[in-house]
Amino acid sequence: MTGTPKGHVSRSDIARLAGVGRSAVTNWKSRHRDFPEAVFVGGAEVFAAAAVGAWLDCRVIPANALRKGEPPGTTYGTRFRSGLVTGTASVELVEKKVPSSVGTAAERAKADLWETLSGDRNLVLGLVCLRAVDPRGWASLVGRGQDAFIERLRSVAPDLPRVFGEVDPGGRRGPDFERMVQAVDRAVSECGGAEVFDFLLDRFSGLEGKRGEFYTPRSLVDVAIEAVAPGTGDRIYDPSCGFGELLAAAAVRAKQSGGTVPPVCGSAWGDYSTLIAKLNLLVHEVDETVSDGVGHALAGLSVKEERFDVVVANPPFNMGLWDGQRESHSRRWPYGPPPPHNANFAWLQHIVMSLRPGGRAAVIMANGAASSENPRERAIRAGLVEDGFVEGLIALPSHLFHATTIPVTIWLLGRPAAGKGEILFVDASNLGVMTDRTHRSLTKEDTDTIERVVTEWRHAVGEYEGVPGLSCSLPIEEVRRQDYILNPRRYVLPSDTSESISRTDRLRELKGRLEKLHVRAAEIDETVEHALRGVGL
């Protein structure tokens, strides 16, 4: 770094110290508005080392890029500082607690908390919840041991003991408990408990990758929630609620419409997911009824099922080996039983029949559900279309999830009193930016664009013109002619197209063929992933 001003680094320095290519640094700078600003000294572009270190603190190194001796969860910020310490650079050493002039206080507090974690996910999530919902009780515990904090949390939330029942005081590594308590206190003070809880869930999901729980990323949550726009008085339901991320966001969105946070209802997968979902909703100040009861959604529909104004869901993709063969006289599938090897259309039927008249739903599905050629699935899809339950589909890109790389589609479902007689198709499969080599995220601009399209379509007077290359709206008759294939990439034409009608028809035919290849590729990817999970990889 000869010639680089003291306390500053060049792009090449950042790449070398962080252990990435120079192109990665260029991508970080161009794709992330919060990347530290460059200054020019003697005509050379340089960056404040302290600011770079703080920014890199929020970027976890992928497991396959870790160096020998770097534990899972290491950030590029830690590696960057290590290079500063061991190198011969003329850069001033950067302390872990960066100066107050670098980044926002909230960003620094969250980065600091992540650095202090001992690896016990349950413990830190519980501490965040306790600090958020019981600040006076928290203050009375400062300076006391871990058991006192856990006991206090149990008194605040008595149905959560199993999350903390097996915490081992001597089994943690890294920073001591007192330091973690201090970091939690700072982070919740600066950001609020809900923001810190969301931040940690997202980070843990990225760290665990395909071995972790099926967590819905924040940008995808935003798209789904804004598409159904929960409002005051709406009853909200998620039949496969994971860690409660969709339910929490839906309730908060409803409050923003001018009312109070409504209670929500959800079913989770097992005791552990149920308890983490309860913690999540508690820290978001949402009254909930969450239980370990996902199975009933896959056993058919009861005449006495509850009905809801808004349903949001991200059920497991292409779920096999579900109990599709078990039927009883009190249960029914309005469009026929789904195939036993795939529960996609069990979820979709359960959700549409869980809607009140005028209700609306956003369901995240694997792409294949939109164009599956399985006879049972095609028949169910046709029935949903003909009865006006399918309002629209939003195709999204691959690599949005940490647990799988396959692309997904959001189904917009509803029970309108008088349907529009047409279906909205949004092809957002080219949106998003790669945040690392294996993960993509939708930007705020991306989510705003999709929200604007859905809103304009819902409120269109007369024919919806669509956005070239992004969206179109077609009558049910056209979808019927296309054999009820619902993948948006079949219908949304490129923005620069100037073909005649005959060429447009040809393009649609070619897109249909390409879509079948995409579907087949996604199915193969899912089969491979399932096989790898079966052998513990």
Side-chain angles (χ1 to χ4, degrees):
M1 290 183 278
T2 304
T4 302
K6 190 175 183 181
H8 291 76
V9 287
S10 66
R11 291 196 193 197
S12 296
D13 296 333
I14 297 171
R16 180 172 55 80
L17 294 168
V20 298
R22 195 175 187 279
S23 60
V25 180
T26 299
N27 287 336
W28 284 341
K29 185 177 186 303
S30 62
R31 294 179 177 179
H32 298 277
R33 296 177 182 176
D34 60 341
F35 191 86
E37 290 291 332
V39 296
F40 289 86
V41 180
E45 179 193 56
V46 293
F47 304 83
V52 172
W55 191 84
L56 291 174
D57 279 336
C58 296
R59 308 196 71 78
V60 177
I61 302 172
N64 60 359
L66 290 170
R67 293 172 175 171
K68 185 177 181 180
E70 290 180 334
T74 300
T75 67
Y76 282 109
T78 299
R79 181 186 287 177
F80 177 81
R81 291 191 187 85
S82 177
L84 290 176
V85 172
T86 60
T88 57
S90 60
V91 181
E92 293 176 335
L93 299 184
V94 183
E95 302 239 347
K96 191 173 207 177
K97 296 179 179 64
V98 296
S100 59
S101 59
V102 178
T104 66
E107 291 168 347
R108 294 196 309 276
K110 287 187 291 187
D112 223 21
L113 173 59
W114 184 252
E115 291 285 349
T116 70
L117 298 190
S118 65
D120 192 325
R121 174 173 66 175
N122 298 346
L123 179 59
V124 71
L125 290 175
L127 292 176
V128 169
C129 183
L130 180 61
R131 172 60 179 82
V133 303
D134 186 21
R136 290 187 178 180
W138 174 276
S140 70
L141 297 172
V142 173
R144 299 177 63 183
Q146 168 182 286
D147 290 346
F149 282 84
I150 294 176
E151 194 59 36
R152 182 71 183 187
L153 181 60
R154 286 172 174 160
S155 69
V156 172
D159 58 346
L160 299 176
R162 284 196 58 186
V163 175
F164 309 100
E166 299 179 359
V167 172
D168 179 8
R172 300 190 313 273
R173 295 175 295 176
D176 61 19
F177 180 73
E178 183 178 351
R179 184 181 174 204
M180 187 160 64
V181 167
Q182 293 171 352
V184 167
D185 189 71
R186 286 194 302 272
V188 175
S189 296
E190 291 290 348
C191 311
E195 182 177 336
V196 176
F197 203 94
D198 291 345
F199 164 79
L200 290 173
L201 282 183
D202 187 68
R203 281 298 187 86
F204 284 128
S205 176
L207 180 61
E208 294 170 354
K210 294 183 179 181
R211 296 177 184 272
E213 299 283 344
F214 206 70
Y215 172 77
T216 309
R218 183 68 213 189
S219 62
L220 195 50
V221 169
D222 290 342
V223 174
I225 297 306
E226 290 303 325
V228 291
T232 302
D234 282 339
R235 296 194 67 216
I236 302 169
Y237 172 53
D238 184 344
S240 176
C241 70
F243 290 154
E245 54 270 22
L246 283 164
L247 285 176
V252 171
R253 172 64 171 79
K255 180 181 180 181
Q256 292 171 348
S257 69
T260 58
V261 178
V264 300
C265 180
S267 299
W269 293 87
D271 288 346
Y272 179 74
S273 294
T274 300
L275 295 172
I276 296 298
K278 285 177 174 288
L279 271 183
N280 193 4
L281 294 165
L282 180 61
V283 81
H284 280 84
E285 300 179 343
V286 178
D287 290 334
E288 48 76 20
T289 303
V290 175
S291 61
D292 174 14
V294 169
H296 83 280
L298 300 181
L301 287 306
S302 168
V303 176
K304 297 181 179 180
E305 289 282 354
E306 288 190 81
R307 301 292 185 261
F308 300 88
D309 302 288
V310 171
V311 180
V312 288
N314 177 24
F317 302 152
N318 304 317
M319 179 182 171
L321 303 178
W322 65 287
D323 198 10
Q325 299 295 341
R326 182 181 299 171
E327 298 179 9
S328 68
H329 295 297
S330 64
R331 296 284 175 171
R332 61 190 174 89
W333 292 113
Y335 298 103
H341 72 278
N342 194 316
N344 287 343
F345 284 86
W347 293 111
L348 289 171
Q349 288 191 82
H350 173 74
I351 287 168
V352 296
M353 299 308 294
S354 296
L355 289 172
R356 288 177 172 174
R360 53 211 182 276
V363 189
I364 302 168
M365 287 262 113
N367 270 8
S371 53
S372 167
E373 296 180 356
N374 178 280
R376 288 193 185 186
E377 294 181 333
R378 180 195 169 280
I380 296 169
R381 192 169 62 236
L384 292 172
V385 168
E386 292 293 349
D387 285 354
F389 283 121
V390 181
E391 294 190 332
L393 289 96
I394 304 169
L396 295 169
S398 63
H399 294 85
L400 289 175
F401 290 88
H402 293 292
T404 181
T405 62
I406 66 172
V408 298
T409 301
I410 296 179
W411 290 55
L412 304 182
L413 306 172
R415 299 190 73 178
K420 293 173 72 73
E422 59 184 32
I423 297 175
L424 172 68
F425 294 98
V426 181
D427 182 6
S429 59
N430 293 321
L431 300 185
V433 296
M434 296 299 292
T435 56
D436 55 44
R437 288 181 295 178
T438 61
H439 187 240
R440 183 190 305 271
S441 179
L442 300 173
T443 66
K444 181 63 164 57
E445 182 180 0
D446 294 334
T447 58
D448 286 348
T449 296
I450 297 171
E451 177 192 351
R452 186 164 54 250
V453 165
V454 175
T455 300
E456 290 175 353
W457 177 79
R458 289 194 188 282
H459 295 92
V461 177
E463 184 179 354
Y464 171 73
E465 294 183 0
V467 179
L470 181 63
S471 67
C472 68
S473 183
L474 295 174
I476 290 177
E477 290 80 3
E478 174 63 22
V479 176
R480 187 184 300 128
R481 283 194 292 269
Q482 297 294 327
D483 202 26
Y484 300 101
I485 290 177
L486 296 177
N487 196 302
R489 300 177 79 174
R490 188 180 185 92
Y491 303 105
V492 178
L493 297 177
S495 58
D496 59 352
T497 184
S498 58
E499 292 89 355
S500 63
I501 294 178
S502 61
R503 292 191 66 191
T504 298
D505 290 340
R506 176 60 177 162
L507 179 61
R508 285 180 174 171
E509 178 185 351
L510 292 174
K511 283 173 69 67
R513 294 180 184 178
L514 181 61
E515 172 54 32
K516 289 184 178 181
L517 293 175
H518 280 297
V519 170
R520 182 57 181 154
E523 291 173 347
I524 292 172
D525 286 344
E526 189 66 20
T527 299
V528 172
E529 288 187 13
H530 181 74
L532 291 175
R533 288 195 298 268
V535 295
L537 296 178

